Coordinates of all heavy atoms in Angstrom, one line a residue:
M18 N 146.2 78.7 97.4 CA 146.8 80.0 97.3 C 146.3 80.7 98.7 O 145.2 80.7 99.0 CB 146.1 80.8 96.2 CG 146.6 82.2 96.1 SD 145.8 82.7 94.5 CE 146.8 84.1 94.2
T19 N 147.3 81.1 99.5 CA 147.0 81.7 100.8 C 147.3 83.2 100.7 O 148.2 83.5 99.9 CB 147.8 81.0 101.9 OG1 149.2 81.4 101.5 CG2 147.5 79.5 102.0
S20 N 146.5 83.9 101.5 CA 146.7 85.4 101.5 C 147.2 85.8 103.0 O 146.6 85.3 104.0 CB 145.5 86.2 101.0 OG 144.5 86.0 102.0
K21 N 148.2 86.6 102.9 CA 148.6 87.0 104.3 C 147.7 88.1 104.7 O 147.4 89.1 104.0 CB 150.0 87.6 104.1 CG 151.1 86.5 103.9 CD 152.4 87.1 103.9 CE 153.4 86.0 103.6 NZ 154.8 86.4 103.5
K22 N 147.5 88.2 106.0 CA 146.6 89.2 106.5 C 147.5 90.3 107.0 O 148.4 90.2 107.7 CB 145.8 88.6 107.7 CG 144.9 89.8 108.4 CD 144.2 89.3 109.4 CE 143.2 90.4 110.0 NZ 142.3 89.9 111.0
R23 N 147.4 91.4 106.4 CA 148.2 92.6 106.7 C 147.7 93.3 108.0 O 146.6 93.5 108.1 CB 148.3 93.6 105.5 CG 148.8 93.0 104.3 CD 148.8 94.0 103.2 NE 149.3 93.3 102.0 CZ 148.9 93.7 100.8 NH1 148.1 94.7 100.7 NH2 149.3 93.0 99.8
T24 N 148.6 93.7 108.8 CA 148.2 94.3 110.2 C 148.9 95.6 110.4 O 149.1 96.0 111.5 CB 148.5 93.4 111.4 OG1 149.9 93.0 111.4 CG2 147.7 92.0 111.3
F25 N 149.2 96.2 109.3 CA 150.0 97.6 109.5 C 149.2 98.6 110.1 O 149.6 99.3 110.9 CB 150.5 98.0 108.0 CG 151.4 97.3 107.4 CD1 151.2 96.6 106.2 CD2 152.6 96.9 108.0 CE1 152.1 95.8 105.6 CE2 153.6 96.1 107.4 CZ 153.4 95.6 106.2
G26 N 147.8 98.6 109.8 CA 147.0 99.6 110.3 C 146.7 99.4 111.9 O 146.7 100.3 112.7
A27 N 146.6 98.1 112.2 CA 146.4 97.8 113.7 C 147.6 98.2 114.5 O 147.6 98.7 115.6 CB 146.0 96.4 113.9
L28 N 148.8 97.8 114.0 CA 150.0 98.1 114.6 C 150.3 99.6 114.7 O 150.9 100.2 115.6 CB 151.2 97.5 113.9 CG 151.3 96.0 114.1 CD1 152.3 95.3 113.3 CD2 151.5 95.5 115.5
S29 N 149.9 100.3 113.6 CA 150.0 101.7 113.6 C 149.2 102.5 114.6 O 149.7 103.3 115.4 CB 149.6 102.3 112.3 OG 149.5 103.6 112.1
T30 N 147.8 102.0 114.8 CA 147.1 102.5 115.9 C 147.6 102.2 117.3 O 147.5 103.2 118.2 CB 145.7 102.1 115.7 OG1 145.2 102.4 114.3 CG2 144.7 102.6 116.7
I31 N 147.9 101.0 117.5 CA 148.6 100.6 118.8 C 149.7 101.5 119.2 O 149.9 101.8 120.3 CB 148.8 99.0 118.9 CG1 147.5 98.2 118.8 CG2 149.6 98.7 120.1 CD1 147.6 96.8 118.6
L32 N 150.6 101.5 118.2 CA 151.9 102.2 118.5 C 151.7 103.7 118.8 O 152.2 104.4 119.6 CB 152.9 102.1 117.3 CG 153.6 100.7 117.5 CD1 154.5 100.5 116.2 CD2 154.5 100.6 118.8
S33 N 150.7 104.3 118.0 CA 150.4 105.7 118.2 C 149.7 105.9 119.7 O 150.1 106.9 120.3 CB 149.4 106.2 117.1 OG 150.2 106.1 115.9
L34 N 148.9 105.1 119.9 CA 148.1 105.1 121.3 C 149.2 104.9 122.4 O 149.2 105.7 123.4 CB 147.0 104.0 121.5 CG 145.8 104.5 120.6 CD1 144.7 103.4 120.8 CD2 145.2 105.8 121.2
A35 N 150.2 104.0 122.2 CA 151.3 103.8 123.4 C 152.1 105.0 123.3 O 152.5 105.3 124.3 CB 152.0 102.6 122.9
G36 N 152.5 105.6 122.2 CA 153.3 106.8 122.2 C 152.7 108.0 122.8 O 153.3 108.6 123.5
A37 N 151.3 108.0 122.5 CA 150.7 109.2 123.2 C 150.5 109.0 124.8 O 150.7 109.9 125.5 CB 149.2 109.3 122.8
G38 N 150.4 107.7 125.0 CA 150.4 107.5 126.6 C 151.7 107.7 127.3 O 151.8 108.2 128.3
M39 N 152.8 107.3 126.5 CA 154.1 107.5 127.2 C 154.4 109.0 127.2 O 155.0 109.5 128.0 CB 155.1 106.8 126.3 CG 155.2 105.2 126.5 SD 156.6 104.4 125.7 CE 155.9 104.3 124.0
L40 N 154.0 109.6 126.1 CA 154.2 111.1 126.1 C 153.5 111.8 127.4 O 154.1 112.8 128.0 CB 154.0 111.8 124.7 CG 154.4 113.2 124.6 CD1 155.8 113.2 124.5 CD2 153.7 113.7 123.2
F41 N 152.4 111.4 127.6 CA 151.6 112.0 128.7 C 152.3 111.5 130.0 O 152.3 112.5 130.9 CB 150.1 111.5 128.7 CG 149.3 111.9 129.8 CD1 148.9 113.2 129.9 CD2 149.0 111.0 130.8 CE1 148.2 113.6 131.0 CE2 148.1 111.5 131.9 CZ 147.8 112.8 132.0
M42 N 152.6 110.4 130.2 CA 153.2 109.9 131.4 C 154.6 110.6 131.7 O 154.9 110.8 132.8 CB 153.4 108.4 131.4 CG 152.2 107.6 131.5 SD 152.4 105.8 131.7 CE 153.7 105.5 130.7
S43 N 155.4 110.9 130.6 CA 156.5 111.7 130.7 C 156.4 113.0 131.4 O 157.3 113.5 132.0 CB 157.4 111.7 129.4 OG 156.8 112.6 128.6
Y44 N 155.3 113.7 131.0 CA 154.9 115.0 131.5 C 154.4 114.8 133.0 O 154.4 116.0 133.6 CB 154.2 115.8 130.6 CG 154.9 116.3 129.5 CD1 154.8 115.8 128.3 CD2 155.8 117.4 129.6 CE1 155.4 116.2 127.2 CE2 156.4 117.9 128.6 CZ 156.4 117.3 127.4 OH 157.2 117.8 126.3
S45 N 153.8 113.8 133.4 CA 153.2 113.7 134.6 C 153.9 113.0 135.7 O 153.3 112.7 136.7 CB 151.7 113.1 134.5 OG 151.9 111.7 134.0
V46 N 155.2 112.6 135.5 CA 156.0 111.9 136.5 C 156.2 112.7 137.6 O 155.9 112.4 138.8 CB 157.2 111.4 135.8 CG1 158.2 110.9 136.9 CG2 157.0 110.4 134.8
S47 N 156.7 113.9 137.5 CA 157.1 114.7 138.7 C 157.2 116.2 138.3 O 157.6 116.4 137.2 CB 158.4 114.2 139.3 OG 158.8 115.2 140.4
T48 N 156.9 117.1 139.2 CA 157.1 118.6 139.0 C 158.5 118.9 139.3 O 159.0 119.9 138.6 CB 156.1 119.4 139.7 OG1 156.4 119.1 141.1 CG2 154.6 119.0 139.4
T49 N 159.2 118.3 140.2 CA 160.6 118.5 140.5 C 161.3 117.2 140.6 O 161.5 116.7 141.6 CB 160.7 119.2 141.9 OG1 160.1 118.5 142.9 CG2 160.2 120.6 141.9
P50 N 161.8 116.7 139.4 CA 162.4 115.3 139.3 C 163.8 115.3 139.9 O 164.5 116.2 139.8 CB 162.4 115.1 137.8 CG 162.4 116.3 137.2 CD 161.6 117.3 138.2
D51 N 164.1 114.3 140.5 CA 165.5 114.0 140.9 C 166.2 113.2 139.8 O 165.7 113.0 138.8 CB 165.6 113.3 142.2 CG 164.8 112.0 142.3 OD1 164.4 111.6 141.2 OD2 164.9 111.2 143.3
S52 N 167.5 112.8 139.9 CA 168.2 112.1 139.0 C 167.5 110.9 138.3 O 167.6 110.5 137.2 CB 169.6 111.8 139.4 OG 169.6 110.9 140.4
G53 N 167.0 110.0 139.3 CA 166.3 108.9 138.8 C 165.1 109.2 138.0 O 164.8 108.4 136.9
E54 N 164.4 110.0 138.4 CA 163.2 110.4 137.7 C 163.5 111.1 136.4 O 162.6 110.9 135.3 CB 162.2 111.4 138.5 CG 161.6 110.6 139.6 CD 160.9 111.6 140.5 OE1 161.2 112.9 140.6 OE2 160.0 111.2 141.3
V55 N 164.6 111.7 136.2 CA 165.0 112.4 135.0 C 165.3 111.3 134.0 O 164.9 111.6 132.8 CB 166.2 113.3 135.2 CG1 166.8 113.7 133.8 CG2 165.9 114.5 136.0
M56 N 165.9 110.3 134.3 CA 166.2 109.1 133.4 C 164.9 108.6 133.0 O 164.8 108.1 131.9 CB 167.1 108.1 134.1 CG 168.5 108.7 134.3 SD 169.3 109.1 132.8 CE 169.3 107.6 132.0
L57 N 164.0 108.2 133.8 CA 162.6 107.8 133.5 C 161.8 108.8 132.5 O 161.4 108.2 131.5 CB 161.8 107.6 134.8 CG 160.3 107.2 134.5 CD1 160.3 105.6 134.0 CD2 159.7 107.2 135.9
I58 N 161.9 110.0 132.8 CA 161.3 111.0 131.9 C 162.0 110.9 130.5 O 161.2 110.9 129.6 CB 161.4 112.4 132.6 CG1 160.5 112.5 133.8 CG2 160.9 113.5 131.5 CD1 160.6 113.7 134.6
K59 N 163.3 110.9 130.5 CA 163.9 110.9 129.2 C 163.5 109.7 128.4 O 163.4 109.7 127.1 CB 165.4 111.0 129.3 CG 165.9 112.3 129.7 CD 167.4 112.4 129.8 CE 167.9 113.7 130.2 NZ 169.4 113.8 130.3
S60 N 163.6 108.4 129.1 CA 163.4 107.3 128.3 C 161.9 107.2 128.0 O 161.7 106.7 126.8 CB 163.6 105.9 129.3 OG 162.8 106.0 130.4
L61 N 161.0 107.7 128.7 CA 159.6 107.7 128.3 C 159.4 108.6 127.1 O 158.6 108.3 126.0 CB 158.6 108.1 129.4 CG 158.3 107.1 130.5 CD1 157.5 107.7 131.6 CD2 157.5 106.0 129.8
F62 N 160.0 109.8 127.1 CA 159.9 110.8 126.0 C 160.4 110.2 124.7 O 159.7 110.4 123.6 CB 160.5 112.1 126.5 CG 160.4 113.2 125.5 CD1 159.2 113.8 125.4 CD2 161.5 113.6 124.7 CE1 159.1 114.8 124.3 CE2 161.4 114.5 123.7 CZ 160.2 115.3 123.6
F63 N 161.7 109.8 124.7 CA 162.3 109.3 123.4 C 161.6 108.0 123.0 O 161.5 107.9 121.8 CB 163.7 109.2 123.6 CG 164.3 110.6 123.7 CD1 165.1 110.9 124.8 CD2 164.4 111.5 122.7 CE1 165.7 112.2 125.1 CE2 164.9 112.8 122.9 CZ 165.5 113.2 124.0
S64 N 161.2 107.2 123.9 CA 160.4 106.1 123.5 C 159.0 106.4 122.7 O 158.6 105.8 121.9 CB 160.2 105.1 124.6 OG 161.2 104.6 125.2
A65 N 158.4 107.4 123.3 CA 157.2 108.0 122.7 C 157.4 108.5 121.3 O 156.7 108.4 120.5 CB 156.5 109.0 123.7
L66 N 158.4 109.3 121.3 CA 158.8 109.9 119.8 C 159.1 108.8 118.9 O 158.6 108.8 117.8 CB 159.9 110.8 119.9 CG 159.8 112.1 120.7 CD1 161.0 113.0 120.6 CD2 158.6 112.9 120.1
G67 N 159.8 107.7 119.2 CA 160.0 106.6 118.4 C 158.7 105.9 118.0 O 158.5 105.5 116.9
S68 N 157.9 105.7 119.1 CA 156.7 105.0 118.8 C 155.8 105.7 117.9 O 155.1 105.1 117.0 CB 156.0 104.6 120.1 OG 154.8 104.0 120.0
L69 N 155.8 107.0 118.0 CA 154.9 107.8 117.1 C 155.3 107.9 115.7 O 154.6 107.9 114.8 CB 154.7 109.3 117.7 CG 154.0 109.4 119.0 CD1 154.2 110.8 119.6 CD2 152.5 109.0 118.9
V70 N 156.7 107.9 115.6 CA 157.2 108.0 114.2 C 156.9 106.6 113.4 O 156.6 106.4 112.3 CB 158.8 108.3 114.2 CG1 159.3 108.0 112.9 CG2 158.9 109.8 114.7
I71 N 157.2 105.6 114.2 CA 157.0 104.2 113.7 C 155.6 104.0 113.4 O 155.1 103.4 112.3 CB 157.6 103.1 114.7 CG1 159.2 103.2 114.7 CG2 157.1 101.7 114.1 CD1 159.7 102.4 115.8
G72 N 154.6 104.5 114.2 CA 153.1 104.5 113.9 C 152.9 105.1 112.7 O 152.0 104.7 111.9
I73 N 153.4 106.3 112.4 CA 153.2 107.0 111.2 C 153.7 106.3 110.0 O 152.9 106.1 109.0 CB 153.7 108.4 111.2 CG1 153.0 109.3 112.2 CG2 153.7 109.0 109.8 CD1 153.6 110.6 112.3
L74 N 154.8 105.7 110.1 CA 155.4 104.9 109.0 C 154.6 103.6 108.7 O 154.4 103.3 107.5 CB 156.8 104.6 109.4 CG 157.9 105.6 109.3 CD1 159.2 105.1 109.8 CD2 158.0 106.4 108.0
L75 N 154.2 103.0 109.7 CA 153.4 101.9 109.5 C 152.0 102.2 108.9 O 151.4 101.3 108.1 CB 153.1 101.1 110.8 CG 154.2 100.2 111.3 CD1 153.9 99.7 112.7 CD2 154.7 99.1 110.3
G76 N 151.3 103.4 109.2 CA 150.2 103.8 108.6 C 150.3 104.1 107.2 O 149.5 103.8 106.3
V77 N 151.5 104.6 106.8 CA 151.8 104.9 105.3 C 152.1 103.7 104.6 O 151.5 103.5 103.5 CB 153.1 105.9 105.3 CG1 153.7 106.1 103.9 CG2 152.7 107.3 105.9
V78 N 152.7 102.7 105.3 CA 152.9 101.4 104.5 C 151.7 100.8 104.4 O 151.5 100.0 103.2 CB 153.8 100.5 105.4 CG1 153.8 99.0 105.0 CG2 155.3 101.0 105.4
G79 N 150.7 100.8 105.2 CA 149.4 100.3 105.1 C 148.7 100.9 103.9 O 147.8 100.3 103.2
I80 N 148.8 102.2 103.8 CA 148.1 102.9 102.7 C 148.7 102.5 101.5 O 148.0 102.2 100.5 CB 148.2 104.5 103.0 CG1 147.3 104.9 104.1 CG2 147.8 105.3 101.8 CD1 147.5 106.3 104.7
V81 N 150.0 102.5 101.3 CA 150.7 102.1 100.1 C 150.4 100.8 99.6 O 150.3 100.6 98.4 CB 152.3 102.5 100.3 CG1 153.0 101.8 99.0 CG2 152.6 103.9 100.3
T82 N 150.4 99.7 100.5 CA 150.2 98.4 100.2 C 148.6 98.1 99.8 O 148.3 97.0 99.5 CB 150.5 97.4 101.3 OG1 150.0 97.7 102.5 CG2 152.1 97.5 101.4
G83 N 147.8 99.0 100.1 CA 146.4 98.9 99.9 C 145.6 98.1 100.9 O 144.8 97.3 100.6
E84 N 146.1 98.1 102.1 CA 145.4 97.4 103.3 C 143.9 97.9 103.3 O 143.7 99.1 103.3 CB 146.1 97.6 104.5 CG 145.6 96.9 105.7 CD 146.5 97.1 106.9 OE1 147.5 97.6 106.8 OE2 145.9 96.8 108.0
R85 N 142.9 97.0 103.7 CA 141.6 97.3 103.9 C 141.4 97.9 105.3 O 142.2 97.4 106.2 CB 140.8 96.1 103.6 CG 140.9 95.6 102.2 CD 140.1 94.5 101.9 NE 138.9 94.8 101.2 CZ 137.9 94.1 100.9 NH1 137.8 92.9 101.3 NH2 137.0 94.6 100.1
G86 N 140.5 98.6 105.5 CA 140.0 99.1 106.7 C 140.5 100.4 107.0 O 141.1 101.2 106.3
F87 N 140.0 100.9 108.1 CA 140.3 102.5 108.4 C 141.3 102.5 109.5 O 141.8 103.7 109.9 CB 139.1 103.0 109.1 CG 138.6 102.6 110.3 CD1 138.9 103.1 111.5 CD2 137.7 101.3 110.4 CE1 138.5 102.6 112.7 CE2 137.3 100.8 111.6 CZ 137.6 101.4 112.7
L88 N 141.8 101.5 110.1 CA 142.9 101.7 111.1 C 144.2 102.3 110.8 O 145.0 102.9 111.5 CB 143.0 100.3 111.8 CG 142.1 99.8 112.8 CD1 142.5 98.4 113.4 CD2 141.8 100.7 113.9
K89 N 144.5 102.1 109.5 CA 145.8 102.7 108.9 C 145.8 104.2 109.0 O 146.7 104.8 109.0 CB 146.0 102.3 107.5 CG 144.9 102.6 106.5 CD 145.0 102.0 105.2 CE 143.9 102.3 104.3 NZ 143.4 101.2 103.6
F90 N 144.5 104.7 108.9 CA 144.3 106.2 109.1 C 144.4 106.8 110.5 O 144.8 107.8 110.8 CB 143.1 106.8 108.3 CG 143.1 106.3 106.9 CD1 142.1 105.4 106.4 CD2 144.0 106.9 105.9 CE1 142.1 105.2 105.0 CE2 144.0 106.6 104.6 CZ 143.0 105.7 104.2
T91 N 143.8 105.9 111.4 CA 143.7 106.4 112.8 C 145.0 106.6 113.5 O 145.2 107.5 114.3 CB 142.8 105.4 113.6 OG1 143.4 104.1 113.6 CG2 141.4 105.4 113.1
G92 N 146.1 105.8 113.2 CA 147.4 105.9 113.7 C 147.9 107.3 113.3 O 148.6 108.0 114.2
I93 N 147.7 107.6 112.1 CA 148.2 108.9 111.6 C 147.3 110.0 112.2 O 148.0 111.1 112.5 CB 148.3 109.0 110.0 CG1 149.2 107.8 109.5 CG2 148.6 110.3 109.5 CD1 149.1 107.6 108.1
L94 N 146.2 109.9 112.2 CA 145.3 110.9 112.9 C 145.6 111.1 114.2 O 145.5 112.4 114.8 CB 143.9 110.5 112.6 CG 142.8 111.5 113.1 CD1 142.8 112.6 112.2 CD2 141.3 110.8 113.0
I95 N 145.9 110.2 115.0 CA 146.3 110.5 116.4 C 147.3 111.4 116.7 O 147.4 112.3 117.4 CB 146.5 109.1 117.1 CG1 145.1 108.3 117.3 CG2 147.1 109.3 118.4 CD1 145.3 106.9 117.8
V96 N 148.5 111.1 115.8 CA 149.6 111.9 115.8 C 149.4 113.3 115.3 O 149.9 114.3 116.0 CB 150.8 111.2 115.1 CG1 152.0 112.0 114.9 CG2 151.1 109.8 115.6
L97 N 148.6 113.4 114.2 CA 148.3 114.7 113.7 C 147.5 115.5 114.8 O 147.6 116.7 114.8 CB 147.5 114.7 112.4 CG 148.4 114.2 111.2 CD1 147.6 114.0 110.0 CD2 149.6 115.0 111.0
L98 N 146.5 114.9 115.4 CA 145.9 115.7 116.4 C 146.6 116.1 117.6 O 146.4 117.2 118.2 CB 144.6 114.8 117.0 CG 143.5 114.5 116.0 CD1 142.4 113.6 116.6 CD2 142.8 115.9 115.7
M99 N 147.6 115.3 117.9 CA 148.5 115.7 119.2 C 149.4 116.8 118.6 O 149.6 117.8 119.4 CB 149.5 114.6 119.5 CG 148.8 113.5 120.2 SD 149.8 112.0 120.5 CE 151.3 112.8 121.2
V100 N 149.9 116.8 117.5 CA 150.7 118.0 116.9 C 149.8 119.2 117.0 O 150.4 120.4 117.2 CB 151.3 117.6 115.5 CG1 151.9 118.7 114.9 CG2 152.3 116.4 115.7
A101 N 148.6 119.1 116.4 CA 147.7 120.3 116.3 C 147.4 121.0 117.6 O 147.4 122.1 117.8 CB 146.4 119.8 115.6
G102 N 147.3 119.9 118.6 CA 147.0 120.4 120.0 C 148.4 121.2 120.6 O 148.2 122.2 121.1
F103 N 149.6 120.7 120.2 CA 150.8 121.4 120.7 C 150.9 122.8 119.8 O 151.3 123.7 120.6 CB 151.9 120.6 120.4 CG 152.0 119.4 121.4 CD1 152.4 118.2 120.9 CD2 152.0 119.6 122.7 CE1 152.6 117.1 121.8 CE2 152.2 118.4 123.6 CZ 152.4 117.3 123.3
I104 N 150.6 122.7 118.6 CA 150.6 124.0 117.9 C 149.6 125.0 118.5 O 149.7 126.3 118.7 CB 150.4 123.8 116.5 CG1 151.7 123.0 116.0 CG2 150.2 125.0 115.7 CD1 151.6 122.5 114.4
A105 N 148.4 124.5 118.7 CA 147.3 125.4 119.3 C 147.7 126.0 120.7 O 147.5 127.1 120.9 CB 146.0 124.6 119.5
A106 N 148.3 125.2 121.5 CA 148.9 125.6 122.9 C 149.8 126.8 122.6 O 149.9 127.9 123.4 CB 149.3 124.4 123.6
F107 N 150.8 126.5 121.6 CA 151.9 127.4 121.5 C 151.3 128.7 121.0 O 151.7 129.8 121.4 CB 153.0 126.8 120.6 CG 154.0 127.8 120.1 CD1 155.0 128.2 121.0 CD2 154.0 128.3 118.9 CE1 155.9 129.1 120.5 CE2 154.8 129.3 118.4 CZ 155.9 129.6 119.3
L108 N 150.4 128.5 120.0 CA 149.9 129.9 119.4 C 149.1 130.6 120.3 O 149.1 131.8 120.5 CB 149.1 129.5 118.2 CG 149.9 129.1 116.9 CD1 149.0 128.7 115.8 CD2 150.9 130.1 116.5
S109 N 148.3 129.9 121.2 CA 147.4 130.6 122.3 C 148.4 131.3 123.2 O 148.2 132.4 123.7 CB 146.6 129.7 123.0 OG 147.2 128.8 123.7
M110 N 149.5 130.7 123.6 CA 150.4 131.4 124.5 C 151.1 132.5 123.9 O 151.5 133.6 124.5 CB 151.5 130.4 125.0 CG 151.0 129.5 126.1 SD 152.3 128.3 126.8 CE 152.8 127.3 125.4
A111 N 151.4 132.4 122.4 CA 152.1 133.5 121.8 C 151.1 134.7 121.7 O 151.5 135.8 121.8 CB 152.6 133.0 120.4
F112 N 150.0 134.4 121.3 CA 149.1 135.5 121.1 C 148.4 136.1 122.2 O 148.0 137.4 122.4 CB 148.1 135.2 120.0 CG 148.6 135.0 118.7 CD1 148.4 133.8 118.0 CD2 149.4 135.9 118.1 CE1 149.0 133.7 116.7 CE2 149.8 135.8 116.8 CZ 149.7 134.6 116.1
L113 N 148.1 135.2 123.3 CA 147.4 135.8 124.5 C 148.4 136.1 125.7 O 147.9 136.6 126.6 CB 146.3 134.6 124.9 CG 145.4 134.3 124.0 CD1 144.4 133.1 124.4 CD2 144.5 135.5 123.6
G114 N 149.5 135.7 125.5 CA 150.6 136.0 126.5 C 150.5 135.0 127.7 O 149.8 133.9 127.7
F115 N 151.3 135.1 128.6 CA 151.6 134.3 129.8 C 150.9 134.7 130.9 O 151.6 134.9 131.9 CB 153.0 133.9 129.9 CG 153.6 133.2 128.9 CD1 154.4 134.0 127.9 CD2 153.6 131.8 128.7 CE1 155.1 133.3 126.8 CE2 154.2 131.3 127.7 CZ 154.9 131.9 126.8
R116 N 149.7 135.2 130.8 CA 148.8 135.8 132.1 C 148.6 134.8 133.0 O 148.3 133.6 132.8 CB 147.6 136.5 131.5 CG 147.9 137.7 130.7 CD 146.7 138.3 130.3 NE 146.4 138.1 128.8 CZ 145.4 138.0 128.2 NH1 144.4 138.4 128.7 NH2 145.4 137.9 126.9
E117 N 148.5 135.2 134.3 CA 148.0 134.4 135.4 C 146.6 134.3 135.3 O 145.9 135.2 135.0 CB 148.5 135.0 136.7 CG 149.9 135.0 136.9 CD 150.4 133.6 137.2 OE1 149.8 132.7 137.8 OE2 151.6 133.2 136.7
P118 N 146.0 133.3 135.7 CA 144.4 133.1 135.7 C 143.8 134.0 136.7 O 144.3 134.3 137.7 CB 144.2 131.6 135.9 CG 145.5 131.0 136.3 CD 146.5 131.9 136.1

């Protein structure tokens, strides 16, 4: 009797970290992009979104299948922290205004 080692949690964490990295790189490519850089930014951004969604789904699959370990939660936690950061930035701009430093 052989047991398969489930790696949903590790893949979830890796894809979430890769998605976060690609999202950061898409914002730091250029301040005034030309047409070639626009295509790079779009490909990085949409690849990051896909990677983050797949990371969440793999984390959920790991939870549902009863995978052991904590990595199945870290992939979801990375995405949730990113979303919380974006919401906090939006709310701080909405309540504090767009003042110059």
Side-chain angles (χ1 to χ4, degrees):
M18 187 173 199
T19 61
S20 65
K21 291 183 179 179
K22 184 174 181 179
R23 297 180 184 147
T24 58
F25 295 119
L28 288 175
S29 171
T30 303
I31 290 169
L32 283 174
S33 295
L34 288 173
M39 285 188 286
L40 194 62
F41 176 74
M42 287 188 323
S43 72
Y44 282 103
S45 63
V46 168
S47 177
T48 56
T49 55
D51 58 0
S52 62
E54 290 173 338
V55 168
M56 291 303 295
L57 176 67
I58 291 170
K59 285 181 182 180
S60 64
L61 282 172
F62 180 76
F63 289 115
S64 297
L66 289 181
S68 178
L69 292 171
V70 168
I71 293 171
I73 289 175
L74 291 175
L75 285 175
V77 170
V78 168
I80 292 170
V81 169
T82 58
E84 183 179 344
R85 301 179 102 188
F87 66 92
L88 286 178
K89 61 186 174 226
F90 299 115
T91 57
I93 297 171
L94 182 67
I95 290 168
V96 177
L97 289 178
L98 286 175
M99 287 177 50
V100 169
F103 286 134
I104 290 172
F107 173 74
L108 289 176
S109 68
M110 285 188 290
F112 291 124
L113 299 176
F115 296 97
R116 290 182 252 158
E117 292 291 323

